[in-house]
Amino acid sequence: QVQLVESGGGLVQPGGSLRLSCAASITAFGISDMGWYRQAPGKQREWVAGITMSGRTTYAGSVKGRFTISRDNTNNTVYLQMDSLKPEDTAKYYCNTDPAGYRWGQGTLVTVSS
């Protein structure tokens, strides 16, 4: 059974940074494109960033230049480095394959507020 376990969220001031981690128990992790998604209160879940199995990255326009997605295929882990955070980045963040193909994990809450 696939499990996606996100961690690293918290409360941060505008302009601050956080690094999210996602441990994915996916057998074929090394050949899976992975992504980070987020869902803000009252809004639909949206795609934030993706990384192919070869390491090519893509980003939503709202986070490009501020967020960096990376992966560690040895440890089946995906990361999201978030810099220059803004209040509008406040959301629960999730990882999944890209496009999303597995049951969502619990997510990790990121709150950007002064």
Side-chain angles (χ1 to χ4, degrees):
Q1 183 176 355
V2 171
Q3 279 192 315
L4 300 167
V5 181
E6 301 89 353
S7 62
L11 173 64
V12 63
Q13 292 186 340
S17 298
L18 282 174
R19 189 191 194 207
L20 307 184
S21 299
C22 169
S25 62
I26 299 174
T27 302
F29 180 88
I31 57 171
S32 298
D33 295 345
M34 297 297 298
W36 280 97
Y37 304 78
R38 69 185 180 186
Q39 186 168 20
K43 295 187 177 181
Q44 289 191 332
R45 187 159 16 217
E46 64 175 353
W47 174 86
V48 173
I51 185 166
T52 66
M53 59 180 181
S54 62
R56 184 173 64 86
T57 59
T58 50
Y59 300 92
S62 59
V63 307
K64 195 171 185 179
R66 301 188 296 120
F67 290 11
T68 303
I69 187 172
S70 60
R71 65 189 297 162
D72 179 352
N73 289 339
T74 300
N75 294 306
N76 283 24
T77 302
V78 186
Y79 302 98
L80 187 67
Q81 176 67 40
M82 306 187 297
D83 299 317
S84 302
L85 282 161
K86 303 176 181 180
E88 52 263 43
D89 295 319
T90 294
K92 185 164 277 192
Y93 284 72
Y94 304 84
C95 72
N96 210 311
T97 50
D98 184 9
Y102 292 102
R103 185 173 182 175
W104 297 98
Q106 294 298 308
T108 186
L109 182 62
V110 172
T111 303
V112 185
S113 175
S114 55

